[in-house]
Amino acid sequence: MKGISHTLISYLAAAVFLLAIWWGLALLLELPIVPTPDKVFVRLTDVFARDILEHAAYSLWRIAAGLGLAVCIGYPLGVIMGYFRQADRFLSPVVYLTYPIPKIALLPILMLLAGVGELSKILMIFLIIVFQVVVAVRDAIRTLPEERYYPLYSLGASLGQIFRFVILPASLPKFITAIRVAMATAVSVLFFTETFGTQYGMGYYIMDAWLRVNYLEMYAGILVLSVMGLLLFGIIDCFEHVACLWQRK
Amino acid sequence: MKGISHTLISYLAAAVFLLAIWWGLALLLELPIVPTPDKVFVRLTDVFARDILEHAAYSLWRIAAGLGLAVCIGYPLGVIMGYFRQADRFLSPVVYLTYPIPKIALLPILMLLAGVGELSKILMIFLIIVFQVVVAVRDAIRTLPEERYYPLYSLGASLGQIFRFVILPASLPKFITAIRVAMATAVSVLFFTETFGTQYGMGYYIMDAWLRVNYLEMYAGILVLSVMGLLLFGIIDCFEHVACLWQRK
Amino acid sequence: MKWHMNPTDMIAFDHLTVRYRSAECAAAAAIADVSLTVPQGTVCAIIGPSGCGKSTLLRAVAGLVQPESGCVKIAGGKADPKKYRIGFMPQNYGLLPWQTVRENIVLGCRIRHDWHAGREEDEARLARLMAALHIEGLATRYPHELSGGQQQRVSLARSFLLQPDILLMDEPFSALDAITREEMQDVFLALWQEQHVTTLLVTHYVEEALYLGQKIALMAADPGRIARVFDNPLGGHPEQRGSREFFEMSRALREEIRGISAQHAGEGAAS
Amino acid sequence: MKWHMNPTDMIAFDHLTVRYRSAECAAAAAIADVSLTVPQGTVCAIIGPSGCGKSTLLRAVAGLVQPESGCVKIAGGKADPKKYRIGFMPQNYGLLPWQTVRENIVLGCRIRHDWHAGREEDEARLARLMAALHIEGLATRYPHELSGGQQQRVSLARSFLLQPDILLMDEPFSALDAITREEMQDVFLALWQEQHVTTLLVTHYVEEALYLGQKIALMAADPGRIARVFDNPLGGHPEQRGSREFFEMSRALREEIRGISAQHAGEGAAS
Amino acid sequence: GCGTGSQSAGSGKMQELSIGLMPDTDSLPFLIAEEKGYFADEGVKVNLKPFKSAMDRDSAMQSGHLDGAVSDMLAAAFAKDGGFDVKVTSSTDGSYKLIAGKAEPAADVKGLRGKDVSVSRNTIIEYVTDEILAKDGLKGDDINKVIIPQIPTRLEMLQNGKLAAATLPEPMASIAIYNGGRLLKSSDDLGINPGVILFTDKATKDKQKEIQAMYRAYNRAVDYLNNAPREEYIDFVIEKAGFPPAAKEALKLPTYHKAALPKEQDVTDCIKWLNDKDLVKETYGYDDLVINLLGE
Ligand SMILES: Nc1ncnc2c1ncn2[C@@H]1O[C@H](COP(=O)(O)OP(=O)(O)OP(=O)(O)O)[C@@H](O)[C@H]1O
Ligand SMILES: Nc1ncnc2c1ncn2[C@@H]1O[C@H](COP(=O)(O)OP(=O)(O)OP(=O)(O)O)[C@@H](O)[C@H]1O
Ligand SMILES: [Mg+2]
Ligand SMILES: [Mg+2]
């Protein structure tokens, strides 16, 4: 299809563009902190099959679980806050007060309660991104004009039907935006969530490489993380394409 | 006014609710890592005038600068990507590739380029939140139906006028959501951005207290951070109230 | 004057006053102290100047606006869209932009749990209706891909397919050309003659009111109120359409409306 | 047949074909091979069945849809809304929900940089226009706080205030009651007599077309095309409205439309 | 302007030095030297830059904002392997302790076989732990290493019985013991001392004079710390170094040593461990890493 090859070309162009910037910067600075991409790629091919695939798989699982949890809890909460003014009046301050708490500072408590295993990592990702989902979904629904509900109200629709036919589709675009932002956040906080109690995961890999002042491996890890993010973004874009058919221009 | 006292009551209720949870948890766990709120409040009043105000002022300045920078760069970029399909085709992959990079891992480069002073802290905040703004604004504009532009197109409006009369107001609600999310993110990453090259800022304060195993001060700091976030959220809410008058129900 | 409810009245407005909360200030009442009854199985046409509160009246029956005082009763009870099937066709059609034409049409039935996709009789009824309304080829389109008149007919189709207890139609034929309009009026009449749905019909056309409404309510503005209600012997009788009586009646009615309107203008100037 | 442009023609459609890109499939052409000219300073009324492409025709002039083939010319050049002042009143009014009524009305002038808030003559003209359209009390409201007819009049006010070179009105009076409608028609006629704006007017009412249009174009559907164009000596002459000639003419026109429509139905059945 | 500028002024005037410190006991002589004005006495201006994490410190050093830092042998080897030429100039008096939890039945290091012991990975902590284990005939794999990089979190987990044991640096180790933890073995017991002060290669070349002046002040501070009564400086130290208040009673300060080169054994053991774990490819010799600026 023409569309797909178009997309590939533009992704390639973007990759080349970023590589060029990186290369330029590396040549300009001539410091081991900023190695040239070619060296990083060589290292990447060295370590890829051996290490990075496994790390990436762990990270993907944690992101998926954290994001899934955040959606499962955050979406209903956002819907309730967006639709019921009364609920919002009391829940908003709760969210406003808890959102800015640096979740990493709660790590000791989390570890005490949930151990050092997978659970605490997933919970940490969840804690960091659930607020983004809640706020975005709430705002999406709150800005829906009252009139959107009229056809359903006048048909005597139940709450479930109002959700199914109005709230869900109307908030979908904003929800997808929220997922995009939350997903990328989840990828970039791997860095803190995968540093304890594990030897696997891209976050661990990068942090370890950094600690060892092994900038080549660190950049190889960042590169993989970046491609991983791209793939996840691609999945979300495809989902949007299918789910928001009515918005296609 | 009735509205304001209503709001105050609900904020109070939320605060009381959260304190109750905290207190319950503290009593249940009986660990120094989860002190009861009363102790934290006592400590807070002890240290407040002496220290925390100054720390908070530093943090506020950094958040404001980082957020301001993120809006100044991210908003126009988002608008361009949302409005011009061609630009989006090439910029989206760039954003998708760079968004998931853990910005903290770029700290060495950032220090190299911007030193260890204020600039690098503000740039770090900027780097972390600018993507959220870009993606949200882009999505907001992309989901605008073509018809919204018709009145302006048929009047032969210039690009600036289209922006002024359609893009800006139509994307405002989503932009405000983005600011909410970005602001809260900025508050909670203070924790990483204020740990080097400074002795001021809430992030430094909390981190320092943590390393001193001084949980009372750490919680006092988190408390202040939380209230700081609440105030910032309140400002955004007020702004929304004024700016989106046409959406009031 | 005490107001009495007739047991056969399906819709009854009882001293209804509705006021919109405007963004800044307390707006004037959109409709003030309106009392009107529509007997079971009749069509009541509402005519009145723009902004006099016709749509507000329908919204009140559909439970979309809360009365400031007075109330709306359906069959003697509280107007509750969960209890009665209300086919409400709003002035802006009320189509859901994320649903295709077909989904939009069956929406009402789905909400009421009596749509079974694939069941032959349901599908046949849908196909018949869409054919009658000349929208048979548009099933998979989204509303924004339709012309104004096509959107209006989709909205009509939704209300008709629902087989409602009460039909509320807000200028249902306004975006249609004369020929299509007459066809649609006949589709409505056929439906009505089959099921005798109690109907409130807002229209700007005296002929339409006379043709369809057994009862005609004339409204006046500032504040929105009922100026006069009268029975129309010609309503619902297609065969009368070309008659001399019809012509005379429409002329008389037009004069009357002009009178109300002039009187109001006079009042406005005096105040 | 080669098609020639007359130097006094303000708007000219030259074998225009427009096709909408639909979500799934290549849709049929909305209008196919339409040629029509509107001389400078005249009003051309367009009548046709719902969905025949009337709105599409106007959109093409306003530069909102791209022709598949053929073109639209304004004063001999490319139709370009930056070069000419085009007062386009779309079927759904095209009001910006985030602007108040007043802001919406002056929008056109602001875009064209000839609105000076506070300048006495501008303000006076605005006030006059709003009074003529009976929307004088609504200046600070938002569009969603207006009735349908009020919204339509706000949209009318925007087009009129702009003092455009070309006026495109898509069913401009459809949401108005008969009395208001006649008043608005007269407001339009007065304006037209002052400025002789070249106007394309889509309407569903034969009387309206006859009353306002010096030229009348009848359209047919599937595909959208011009069935017949004729000059109307009665157009733009208010004094003729009640005349016998007017009555006869409208009767004849109605018959003709019915004929076109029947013929089309026949074609449809045959195909 | 972080003191790295090489525009040396007149022969008498000395350039500035920037030294990165960590909140541990190794850094105390620097704090004392500054507080007591010993640096000024020697005519050298030393900017002490406190850091909260090793990552931040190393980033600042690698991006050229520090001349030197209180660090460890592993960091020196890693930096060298990563292409940053750094030189170890002296050892410090850090101490790392393997501490068992209050309720942990294991009486000695051997008893930890198969149990949860918390360390941070590929750091001096893991190195010391492995050395301690090796002394008692255990291998690194014989215990279950639980990776917790944040020291306060490690302490908290230990104190709440979620771990059998943990290796902690000072002053956290003293606190853990004070709160009921049992010292199993420390780096002092083994006689290993991987803590070092290191400088960038550039600084060792351009700022020899300054570094030597710094060490003179450092040695005076060591004297002071070893001789002055504890009460005289403990409050200042706790406040300035960022130690927990509990350290006031709990902290047992080591006997500080005047600046001296690290033992050859310490360096080679460390490199061997790194080579064995495949963390560093090169086998650096003593002279690759250590430079003697003290003797001249
Ligand atoms: N955005 C769109 N995408 C696809 N098809 C469209 C779109 N807009 C209009 N059409 C189709 O093009 C044809 C002409 O539409 P247009 O709106 O011009 O009709 P119209 O003559 O104005 O009808 P009406 O009197 O009902 O307003 C119709 O069949 C309609 O279904
Ligand atoms: N949401 C609203 N907020 C404030 N005022 C409103 C709102 N909706 C309608 N109004 C006002 O209430 C009055 C009645 O409105 P309504 O829509 O019922 O009129 P209508 O009779 O249907 O007019 P039209 O024939 O123009 O559709 C109008 O003056 C209108 O301005
Ligand atoms: Mg209405
Ligand atoms: Mg149309």
Side-chain angles (χ1 to χ4, degrees):
Chain A
M1 251 175 64
K2 200 178 142 212
I4 287 176
S5 77
H6 254 63
T7 312
L8 277 182
I9 289 173
S10 58
Y11 274 69
L12 262 177
V16 168
F17 170 74
L18 288 175
L19 281 181
I21 291 188
W22 176 4
W23 214 310
L25 203 70
L27 290 180
L28 202 76
L29 294 175
E30 270 196 280
L31 284 175
I33 291 187
V34 198
T36 51
D38 56 334
K39 293 197 200 127
V40 173
F41 275 104
V42 169
R43 180 63 59 98
L44 188 59
T45 50
D46 281 0
V47 291
F48 193 88
R50 220 178 59 212
D51 290 336
I52 285 196
L53 266 185
E54 189 167 13
H55 290 296
Y58 268 92
S59 291
L60 273 179
W61 145 244
R62 285 169 195 150
I63 292 173
L67 195 60
L69 207 59
V71 169
C72 287
I73 309 271
Y75 188 77
L77 204 63
V79 169
I80 289 172
M81 287 172 67
Y83 188 70
F84 300 103
R85 297 247 127 203
Q86 285 301 320
D88 188 43
R89 284 227 349 258
F90 287 91
L91 288 176
S92 266
V94 174
V95 169
Y96 285 3
L97 276 166
T98 46
Y99 194 166
I101 294 175
K103 307 303 172 303
I104 303 287
L106 301 183
L107 193 61
I109 304 180
L110 195 68
M111 276 181 163
L112 280 180
L113 298 178
V116 289
E118 287 302 287
L119 185 59
S120 55
K121 290 176 199 53
I122 291 169
L123 278 182
M124 185 51 84
I125 295 182
F126 160 77
L127 278 179
I128 291 174
I129 60 180
V130 67
F131 291 97
Q132 302 183 343
V133 176
V134 170
V135 169
V137 170
R138 180 199 68 160
D139 284 7
I141 293 169
R142 222 164 46 162
T143 51
L144 269 187
E146 184 72 11
E147 274 177 35
R148 273 270 169 274
Y149 297 106
Y150 280 1
L152 277 268
Y153 285 164
S154 68
L155 285 165
S158 69
L159 211 61
Q161 290 167 330
I162 289 172
F163 172 74
R164 158 95 180 65
F165 291 109
V166 179
I167 296 178
L168 179 70
S171 66
L172 200 57
K174 259 195 169 187
F175 175 62
I176 288 175
T177 304
I179 292 295
R180 277 203 188 94
V181 170
M183 196 273 304
T185 306
V187 173
S188 61
V189 299
L190 279 182
F191 202 63
F192 309 108
T193 51
E194 293 191 333
T195 50
F196 57 89
T198 183
Q199 299 186 44
Y200 296 102
M202 294 308 301
Y204 168 81
Y205 186 87
I206 294 172
M207 189 65 141
D208 186 55
W210 188 9
L211 189 102
R212 290 186 284 114
V213 201
N214 193 332
Y215 282 101
L216 286 185
E217 285 189 11
M218 172 169 152
Y219 280 94
I222 291 181
L223 213 63
V224 173
L225 210 57
S226 170
V227 172
M228 215 168 90
L230 183 74
L231 289 182
L232 290 174
F233 272 118
I235 293 174
I236 297 176
D237 276 13
C238 287
F239 174 70
E240 182 183 32
H241 193 91
V242 173
C244 297
L245 211 58
W246 58 279
Q247 274 197 341
R248 306 252 353 104
K249 289 175 198 170
Chain B
M1 252 176 65
K2 201 179 141 211
I4 288 176
S5 76
H6 254 64
T7 312
L8 277 182
I9 288 174
S10 58
Y11 274 69
L12 263 177
V16 168
F17 170 73
L18 287 174
L19 281 181
I21 291 188
W22 176 5
W23 215 311
L25 203 70
L27 291 180
L28 201 77
L29 293 176
E30 270 195 279
L31 289 175
I33 197 171
V34 196
T36 50
D38 55 335
K39 292 196 202 129
V40 173
F41 274 103
V42 169
R43 180 61 61 96
L44 188 59
T45 50
D46 281 0
V47 291
F48 193 88
R50 219 179 59 213
D51 290 336
I52 285 196
L53 267 185
E54 189 167 11
H55 290 295
Y58 267 92
S59 290
L60 273 180
W61 145 244
R62 285 170 194 149
I63 291 172
L67 195 59
L69 208 59
V71 169
C72 287
I73 309 271
Y75 188 78
L77 204 64
V79 169
I80 290 171
M81 287 171 68
Y83 188 70
F84 299 104
R85 296 248 126 202
Q86 285 301 320
D88 188 44
R89 283 225 353 256
F90 287 90
L91 288 177
S92 265
V94 174
V95 169
Y96 285 4
L97 277 166
T98 46
Y99 194 166
I101 294 176
K103 306 304 172 306
I104 304 285
L106 300 182
L107 192 61
I109 303 180
L110 198 65
M111 278 186 174
L112 184 72
L113 299 177
V116 289
E118 287 302 287
L119 186 60
S120 57
K121 291 174 196 53
I122 291 170
L123 278 182
M124 184 57 84
I125 295 182
F126 160 76
L127 279 178
I128 291 174
I129 62 180
V130 67
F131 291 98
Q132 303 182 342
V133 176
V134 170
V135 169
V137 170
R138 181 198 68 159
D139 285 7
I141 293 169
R142 223 164 44 162
T143 50
L144 270 186
E146 184 73 10
E147 273 177 36
R148 272 270 168 273
Y149 297 107
Y150 281 1
L152 277 268
Y153 285 164
S154 69
L155 285 164
S158 69
L159 211 62
Q161 289 167 330
I162 289 172
F163 172 75
R164 157 96 180 67
F165 291 109
V166 179
I167 296 178
L168 179 69
S171 66
L172 200 57
K174 259 196 171 187
F175 175 62
I176 289 176
T177 304
I179 292 294
R180 277 203 188 96
V181 170
M183 197 274 304
T185 306
V187 173
S188 61
V189 299
L190 280 182
F191 202 61
F192 309 108
T193 50
E194 294 191 333
T195 49
F196 56 90
T198 182
Q199 299 190 42
Y200 295 101
M202 293 309 302
Y204 169 82
Y205 186 87
I206 295 174
M207 187 64 135
D208 188 57
W210 187 22
L211 286 180
R212 289 171 192 267
V213 204
N214 191 336
Y215 289 116
L216 286 185
E217 284 191 10
M218 173 170 150
Y219 279 93
I222 291 181
L223 213 64
V224 172
L225 211 56
S226 172
V227 171
M228 214 167 91
L230 183 73
L231 288 182
L232 290 174
F233 272 118
I235 292 174
I236 298 177
D237 276 14
C238 287
F239 174 70
E240 182 183 32
H241 192 92
V242 173
C244 298
L245 212 59
W246 56 279
Q247 274 197 341
R248 306 257 348 108
K249 288 176 199 168
Chain C
M1 183 191 86
K2 185 80 189 79
W3 173 92
H4 287 283
M5 173 118 189
N6 189 315
T8 66
D9 288 344
M10 186 64 176
I11 308 172
F13 299 92
D14 181 1
H15 296 289
L16 183 74
T17 301
V18 174
R19 200 184 297 274
Y20 288 100
R21 282 159 305 147
S22 200
E24 328 111 78
C25 54
I31 49 177
D33 199 31
V34 164
S35 295
L36 175 71
T37 60
V38 185
Q40 163 76 43
T42 58
V43 177
C44 174
I46 303 175
I47 294 192
S50 172
C52 72
K54 305 178 295 295
S55 301
T56 307
L57 218 57
L58 296 204
R59 278 188 213 131
V61 181
L64 302 177
V65 292
Q66 292 313 310
E68 189 183 66
S69 64
C71 66
V72 186
K73 293 217 167 97
I74 297 182
K78 202 177 155 296
D80 178 4
K82 300 216 188 217
K83 239 164 83 190
Y84 296 93
R85 282 171 173 255
I86 299 181
F88 176 46
M89 183 187 159
Q91 203 165 359
N92 60 3
Y93 319 143
L95 303 178
L96 300 179
W98 40 79
Q99 297 211 317
T100 61
V101 164
R102 189 194 141 94
E103 288 167 341
N104 260 302
I105 295 176
V106 301
L107 178 70
C109 291
R110 277 172 81 182
I111 298 284
R112 285 310 188 151
H113 299 294
D114 61 356
W115 177 255
H116 308 85
R119 193 164 77 176
E120 214 164 292
E121 59 185 278
D122 287 3
E123 295 288 350
R125 201 156 64 86
L126 174 65
R128 246 184 352 255
L129 191 60
M130 286 179 73
L133 296 172
H134 302 319
I135 46 174
E136 57 272 50
L138 309 174
T140 59
R141 294 225 199 145
Y142 287 99
H144 71 95
E145 296 170 333
L146 300 180
S147 79
Q150 288 166 340
Q151 289 179 15
Q152 197 166 40
R153 282 174 282 157
V154 171
S155 186
L156 270 177
R158 178 196 289 171
S159 301
F160 288 169
L161 190 74
L162 179 64
Q163 298 186 300
D165 301 322
I166 289 178
L167 194 54
L168 307 171
M169 302 203 291
D170 203 344
E171 306 182 22
F173 313 116
S174 65
L176 303 175
D177 61 293
I179 315 282
T180 315
R181 166 190 302 251
E182 279 170 26
E183 287 181 71
M184 297 305 121
Q185 287 170 351
D186 291 336
V187 171
F188 165 71
L189 264 192
L191 193 93
W192 178 77
Q193 268 156 357
E194 221 176 85
Q195 301 166 13
H196 283 279
V197 190
T198 315
T199 304
L200 268 180
L201 172 93
V202 171
T203 176
H204 284 319
Y205 291 94
V206 170
E207 291 81 4
E208 196 165 282
L210 282 175
Y211 184 51
L212 301 176
Q214 282 102 34
K215 196 164 180 171
I216 295 177
L218 302 184
M219 289 186 71
D222 287 307
R225 62 190 187 276
I226 305 271
R228 197 164 92 85
V229 182
F230 61 91
D231 291 322
N232 166 34
L234 306 171
H237 298 281
E239 69 283 359
Q240 298 274 13
R241 187 166 211 163
S243 73
R244 190 176 173 75
E245 208 182 339
F246 191 92
F247 188 74
E248 285 304 321
M249 191 104 175
S250 76
R251 185 183 209 107
L253 194 51
R254 222 183 294 265
E255 280 316 309
E256 175 148 5
I257 293 171
R258 214 175 289 273
I260 292 173
S261 156
Q263 174 190 350
H264 168 252
E267 269 172 29
S271 70
Chain D
M1 183 192 85
K2 185 80 190 74
W3 174 91
H4 287 285
M5 174 114 189
N6 189 315
T8 66
D9 287 344
M10 187 65 177
I11 309 172
F13 299 92
D14 181 1
H15 296 288
L16 183 74
T17 301
V18 174
R19 200 183 297 274
Y20 288 100
R21 282 160 303 147
S22 200
E24 327 110 78
C25 54
I31 50 178
D33 199 30
V34 164
S35 294
L36 175 72
T37 59
V38 184
Q40 164 76 43
T42 58
V43 177
C44 174
I46 302 174
I47 294 193
S50 172
C52 71
K54 305 178 293 296
S55 301
T56 307
L57 217 57
L58 296 205
R59 278 189 213 131
V61 180
L64 302 177
V65 293
Q66 291 313 311
E68 189 183 67
S69 65
C71 66
V72 187
K73 293 215 166 101
I74 297 183
K78 202 176 156 295
D80 177 5
K82 300 216 189 218
K83 239 164 84 190
Y84 296 93
R85 281 170 174 256
I86 299 181
F88 176 46
M89 184 186 158
Q91 204 165 357
N92 60 3
Y93 319 142
L95 302 178
L96 300 179
W98 40 79
Q99 297 211 316
T100 61
V101 164
R102 189 195 141 94
E103 288 167 342
N104 260 300
I105 295 176
V106 300
L107 179 71
C109 291
R110 277 172 82 181
I111 298 284
R112 285 310 188 152
H113 299 295
D114 61 356
W115 177 255
H116 309 84
R119 193 164 76 177
E120 215 162 292
E121 57 187 278
D122 288 3
E123 295 289 350
R125 200 157 64 86
L126 174 65
R128 250 190 342 263
L129 191 59
M130 286 180 73
L133 297 172
H134 301 320
I135 47 175
E136 58 272 50
L138 309 174
T140 58
R141 293 224 199 145
Y142 288 99
H144 72 96
E145 296 170 334
L146 300 179
S147 79
Q150 288 165 340
Q151 289 179 15
Q152 196 165 43
R153 281 174 284 157
V154 171
S155 186
L156 270 178
R158 177 195 289 170
S159 301
F160 289 168
L161 190 74
L162 179 64
Q163 298 186 302
D165 302 322
I166 289 178
L167 194 54
L168 308 170
M169 301 203 289
D170 204 344
E171 305 182 24
F173 312 115
S174 65
L176 302 176
D177 61 292
I179 316 282
T180 315
R181 165 190 302 251
E182 278 169 27
E183 286 182 72
M184 297 305 120
Q185 287 170 351
D186 291 336
V187 171
F188 165 70
L189 263 193
L191 193 93
W192 179 77
Q193 270 156 355
E194 221 176 85
Q195 300 167 16
H196 283 278
V197 189
T198 314
T199 302
L200 269 179
L201 172 92
V202 171
T203 177
H204 285 319
Y205 291 94
V206 169
E207 290 81 5
E208 197 164 280
L210 282 176
Y211 184 51
L212 300 177
Q214 282 102 33
K215 196 164 180 172
I216 295 178
L218 302 185
M219 289 187 72
D222 287 306
R225 63 191 187 276
I226 305 270
R228 196 163 94 84
V229 182
F230 61 90
D231 291 322
N232 167 33
L234 306 171
H237 297 282
E239 69 283 0
Q240 298 273 13
R241 187 167 211 165
S243 73
R244 192 180 169 74
E245 209 181 337
F246 191 92
F247 188 75
E248 285 303 322
M249 190 103 175
S250 75
R251 186 183 206 107
L253 193 50
R254 223 183 292 264
E255 280 316 308
E256 175 149 7
I257 293 171
R258 215 175 288 273
I260 292 172
S261 162
Q263 174 190 351
H264 169 250
E267 271 172 28
S271 70
Chain E
C2 314
T4 48
S6 55
Q7 69 280 23
S8 177
S11 57
K13 184 114 171 66
M14 288 201 257
Q15 304 169 54
E16 291 185 6
L17 275 181
S18 296
I19 310 283
L21 303 182
M22 294 289 289
D24 52 26
T25 49
D26 307 34
S27 304
L28 293 192
F30 285 95
L31 297 174
I32 294 291
E34 183 179 59
E35 169 70 8
K36 296 285 168 195
Y38 299 158
F39 290 134
D41 293 349
E42 298 295 337
V44 63
K45 177 143 179 34
V46 178
N47 287 318
L48 299 182
K49 305 221 163 148
F51 287 89
K52 296 288 174 200
S53 82
M55 304 300 238
D56 289 353
R57 177 198 62 197
D58 293 346
S59 297
M61 183 134 180
Q62 286 148 19
S63 58
H65 294 285
L66 296 177
D67 295 312
V70 173
S71 183
D72 58 66
M73 215 48 237
L74 276 79
F78 281 140
K80 192 145 184 88
D81 198 41
F84 298 91
D85 212 356
V86 296
K87 286 286 191 297
V88 172
T89 51
S90 72
S91 62
T92 57
D93 298 291
S95 172
Y96 305 87
K97 299 191 166 81
L98 179 61
I99 294 165
K102 211 186 303 186
E104 175 56 38
D108 55 10
V109 177
K110 284 204 183 67
L112 291 177
R113 185 184 290 271
K115 297 206 166 143
D116 288 346
V117 177
S118 178
V119 296
S120 54
R121 191 160 200 80
N122 297 344
T123 61
I124 186 164
I125 298 284
E126 191 182 13
Y127 168 65
V128 169
T129 310
D130 278 1
E131 293 294 301
I132 289 174
L133 292 173
K135 195 88 178 171
D136 283 75
L138 294 180
K139 287 206 296 293
D141 303 340
D142 290 338
I143 55 167
N144 182 27
K145 286 180 184 165
V146 178
I147 316 275
I148 303 179
Q150 301 89 350
I151 295 165
T153 309
R154 214 183 302 153
L155 175 71
E156 208 54 52
M157 294 291 278
L158 181 70
Q159 290 187 346
N160 285 290
K162 306 275 174 189
L163 299 166
T167 306
L168 291 168
E170 290 293 1
M172 292 298 183
S174 293
I175 299 211
I177 295 169
Y178 183 75
N179 288 339
R182 263 175 309 112
L183 172 66
L184 294 178
K185 199 160 267 184
S186 76
S187 59
D188 311 332
D189 300 341
L190 270 65
I192 58 174
N193 189 10
V196 299
I197 294 170
L198 50 77
F199 279 90
T200 60
D201 187 52
K202 189 161 175 297
T204 59
K205 292 194 177 103
D206 299 350
K207 298 185 177 177
Q208 276 198 21
K209 224 166 22 143
E210 290 81 357
I211 292 172
Q212 282 159 358
M214 183 208 83
Y215 270 120
R216 285 194 294 276
Y218 178 89
N219 288 341
R220 280 180 71 190
V222 168
D223 275 340
Y224 174 83
L225 276 169
N226 287 339
N227 299 320
R230 190 172 185 269
E231 306 76 59
E232 206 175 298
Y233 56 80
I234 190 72
D235 283 330
F236 163 75
V237 157
I238 284 174
E239 169 58 30
K240 195 75 180 174
F243 289 174
K248 186 166 172 169
E249 278 99 64
L251 180 60
K252 214 170 91 14
L253 283 177
T255 308
Y256 284 93
H257 296 89
K258 292 201 171 157
L261 293 184
K263 287 177 289 179
E264 180 131 16
Q265 179 79 26
D266 277 343
V267 177
T268 46
D269 281 357
C270 215
I271 300 295
K272 181 166 182 313
W273 184 80
L274 288 170
N275 289 155
D276 286 350
K277 290 201 79 178
D278 208 19
L279 294 172
V280 170
K281 298 271 183 313
E282 300 284 329
T283 306
Y284 296 113
Y286 185 76
D287 294 332
D288 293 330
L289 286 170
V290 180
I291 188 171
N292 186 357
L293 296 179
L294 303 170
E296 287 159 287

